[in-house]
Amino acid sequence: MKTIAKTGNEAMAYAMKQINPDVVAAYPITPATEIVQIFSNYVADGEVDTEFVAVESEHSALSACVGASLAGGRVMTSTASQGLALMHEILYIAAGNRLPIVIALVNRSLSAPINIHCDHSDTMGSREAGWMQLYCANSQEAYDSLIIALKVAEQTAVPAIVSTDAFIISHAMERLEVLEDEEVQRFIGEYKPRFSALDLENPKTFGPLDLQDYFFEHKRAQIDDFSKVLGTYNKVAQEYAELSGRYYPALEEYKTDDADVAIFTAGSTADTAKEVVDGLREQGRKMGLVRMRMWRPLPVEEIKAALGKFKAVAVMDRSDTMADFGGPVFLETRGILYDAKKKPLLTDYVYGLGGRNIDISDILRVYDEIEQVVKQGKIDKLITYLGVRGEE
Amino acid sequence: MASLKELSKRTEGLVGGHRACAGCAASTAIRQILLAAGDKPTVTGICTGCMEVVTTIFPYTAWNVNLVHNAFENSAATVSGMEAAYRALKRKGKIDAEIQFIAFGGDGGTYDIGLQSLSGAIERRHKMLYVCYDNEAYMNTGYQRSSATPYCAHTTTSPAGTKIPGKPQKRKDLTEIIIAHEPAYAAQATPGYYMDLIRKVEKALAADGPSFINVLSPCVPGWGYPLDQTMNISKLAVETLFWPIYEWQDGKYKINIKPREPKPLVDFLKLQARFRHLLKPGNEHLLEELQAEVNRRWEVLLRKEQATNG
């Protein structure tokens, strides 16, 4: 174990170097460009054995990753925002073919209007593609999560997206503890693909036409395998904790034991909210935080158990569903809590779209308001767009 | 070059029992191409399209070699990824065999929606052969126009109406676009001249880098002709100069067949329902335009051959 200083992008590129995949096919996009750039340097300096395929688009990036993974390689890529949107079609194909590809992603808003800063609309827009999703709160977690996600992906044959917040994490220098290369290699082990298109002894047709008579069974089998991801994740995260001393649950609770209210959010905002909770605790206010880290698959029972104990919860969503019903975390959490024995009053704060800054005073306001909800015993405003001009 | 006798002894890469239309030239071309490739381990990829749909209906497959289908527009990128993984795994000693890679796509997947993917793969110099089976329209979805559809041809999205006589635009010259990338090898072929096609596949696979063959593949329902006429029409395309068969390597053009007395284009057109409206009185000028265009392109090709073999 050694300690170095790295930005989120550098941390992710460093994890990729230590994973040393067979193929990386990628296309640069702000704010994830550095990941591809730094990795190219590792290739140019012979620090990895990877074939780096500098494709002409994100669509081709993931298409080439699918080809490389079908050929039996350990495969990774990196993207953000529009790049993930351009990959959208192939996300489903990678997952449907059970290819454990891992994407090091930086969350950035989707155009229009065009904007390069953070929100979660890119990955939230790909929730149904069949990829595991991990949202990280800082560089350390991004580094650790890429290594964990790769192992989970390969064990479950489910591809994974590990994401950080644009600029807030991707470009911020932080203290980072890294494993030795050999430790990472020992942890992930040698990749043994379930099948290979380069297996000449047993020629197969991959990605055939699958009609009304078989498609549904194959989809059902994929859904079934997807349901095993959380269990595998819990096991691998535990193994990783034993190795590194850092444990990352699918759902994190912070100072929730005796709390009446909590914020439920993700990413770097959760780290900011921890600071706010510490301050509130000093004032004797019983407030906590629940951080969603894995949003695909949904840790349903964990969410039910964690949120069920509060009187009120404010979800903070960094994207909107355009359903006229708030953000995706709010919508899905309401669904999860529908049959919970104990459930909190639940409100939604959509915040930080296009990188709009979220600071301690914004989060304090949310805690104040959710405290009011408890006092009144009812919700006045179900969905709030936080910090938008003309909204207050 | 493999003789017919040798070819007849090889294991078929694409076997019968698939569901292509009777008289399908594309399936014949793929069979010939895999026979030509067949003496070495071969891994293939294919775009969504006619040939993918008719040969891979689960739980059946007509392919005796590994085949990867990803999506419509990306067989070049997909096979480029396979080729990259192959190089990585070979370097690590995980694979011994010398494997050759072939990607297939129709004109929809190649001229149009997959052109960027193909351009990128060639520019990156992946060692793979890309074969376009060009049947001059989107046949899988029912004969819609593509940028490979010739001038005035009737398709379901460029219908010959009372005001507009079929496709108003000329066809895109994809082979020349690919040659502009300076691949290791590029050619035009058609299965009517099957030994020419086989020789080209051997050359393409032996070339050190990306190669491309554009195979004109007559389509019975799309072009509208009797199903026993496929090979005849394939040959007529060459004999009328509609589809010159030629190759390009190391900067040099070579026209493989130069008919001493080219047949009039109408001999090719009159057998096909997609051009039927051109034979109606009042459309003589369109026939003349089509003939003039074929002649012009042939002259350009002759000059290129001359200029690069001086």
Side-chain angles (χ1 to χ4, degrees), chain A residues 354-371:
Chain A
R356 174 61 52 86
N357 192 41
I358 178 93
D359 62 24
I360 283 176
S361 64
D362 300 312
I363 295 171
L364 257 177
R365 181 193 137 183
V366 175
Y367 275 113
D368 287 343
E369 290 184 6
I370 197 72
E371 199 173 38

Side-chain angles (χ1 to χ4, degrees), chain A residues 22 49 51 89 204-205, chain B residues 61 66 73 87 91-92:
Chain A
D22 295 310
D49 306 310
E51 280 292 325
E89 179 194 28
K204 287 183 179 63
T205 293
Chain B
T61 181
N66 278 307
E73 67 282 55
R87 274 186 279 132
R91 203 166 49 233
K92 293 175 181 176

Side-chain angles (χ1 to χ4, degrees), chain A residues 57 68-69 97 124 150 165 199 207 273 324 353 368-369 372:
Chain A
S57 73
S69 188
N97 281 296
M124 284 297 169
L150 183 97
D165 287 347
D199 176 2
D324 194 20
L353 302 191
D368 287 343
E369 290 184 6
Q372 273 307 114

Side-chain angles (χ1 to χ4, degrees), chain A residues 124-170:
Chain A
M124 284 297 169
S126 301
R127 304 201 296 292
E128 269 104 66
W131 288 58
M132 177 170 77
Q133 292 193 350
L134 295 177
Y135 294 81
C136 300
N138 51 56
S139 295
Q140 182 70 61
E141 188 179 333
Y143 166 84
D144 294 325
S145 296
L146 265 189
I147 297 166
I148 294 169
L150 183 97
K151 188 162 177 173
V152 177
E154 290 179 359
Q155 284 189 5
T156 57
V158 168
I161 294 172
V162 176
S163 65
T164 66
D165 287 347
F167 296 104
I168 304 161
I169 301 174
S170 68

Side-chain angles (χ1 to χ4, degrees), chain A residues 152-371:
Chain A
V152 177
E154 290 179 359
Q155 284 189 5
T156 57
V158 168
I161 294 172
V162 176
S163 65
T164 66
D165 287 347
F167 296 104
I168 304 161
I169 301 174
S170 68
H171 285 63
M173 187 72 75
E174 287 185 75
R175 183 181 169 280
L176 184 73
E177 283 186 3
V178 294
L179 301 169
E180 298 298 332
D181 293 358
E182 305 77 51
E183 288 180 302
V184 173
Q185 281 301 315
R186 246 197 326 274
F187 181 76
I188 60 174
E190 191 189 342
Y191 176 49
K192 295 195 179 72
R194 298 176 180 196
F195 48 75
S196 164
L198 303 187
D199 176 2
L200 301 166
E201 302 303 314
N202 305 291
K204 287 183 179 63
T205 293
F206 300 89
L209 180 63
D210 202 17
L211 297 173
Q212 304 94 316
D213 47 357
Y214 287 101
F215 179 93
F216 205 174
E217 281 74 21
H218 290 147
K219 252 320 145 191
R220 184 66 188 88
Q222 184 190 348
I223 294 162
D224 194 43
D225 277 0
F226 203 73
S227 73
K228 293 169 188 150
V229 170
L230 180 58
T232 305
Y233 173 84
N234 287 336
K235 192 169 65 65
V236 173
Q238 193 58 51
E239 287 166 19
Y240 190 79
E242 282 157 24
L243 173 69
S244 68
R246 292 181 294 275
Y247 177 63
Y248 298 100
L251 192 77
E252 183 194 3
E253 296 191 42
Y254 185 75
K255 300 193 175 172
T256 54
D257 282 349
D258 60 343
D260 295 326
V261 302
I263 282 178
F264 183 34
T265 193
S268 57
T269 304
D271 264 14
T272 313
K274 283 181 185 173
E275 292 289 320
V276 177
V277 169
D278 290 348
L280 293 168
R281 288 278 168 179
E282 278 170 26
Q283 296 168 19
R285 294 163 76 183
K286 290 181 179 175
M287 294 172 168
L289 172 84
V290 180
R291 176 164 75 97
M292 80 76 163
R293 182 172 134 73
M294 176 184 282
W295 202 245
R296 279 297 179 274
L298 282 173
V300 172
E301 294 309 319
E302 287 79 352
I303 291 171
K304 228 184 259 185
L307 300 188
K309 58 183 174 273
F310 306 114
K311 291 176 180 156
V313 171
V315 173
M316 289 185 70
D317 260 305
R318 204 156 194 165
S319 63
D320 195 87
T321 54
M322 295 289 168
D324 194 20
F325 203 45
V329 179
F330 173 68
L331 254 182
E332 296 186 352
T333 302
R334 268 177 77 110
I336 290 166
L337 294 173
Y338 180 77
D339 62 353
K341 285 197 183 72
K342 280 180 68 189
K343 50 190 157 192
L345 291 162
L346 198 69
T347 66
D348 192 23
Y349 288 81
V350 177
Y351 77 96
L353 302 191
R356 174 61 52 86
N357 192 41
I358 178 93
D359 62 24
I360 283 176
S361 64
D362 300 312
I363 295 171
L364 257 177
R365 181 193 137 183
V366 175
Y367 275 113
D368 287 343
E369 290 184 6
I370 197 72
E371 199 173 38

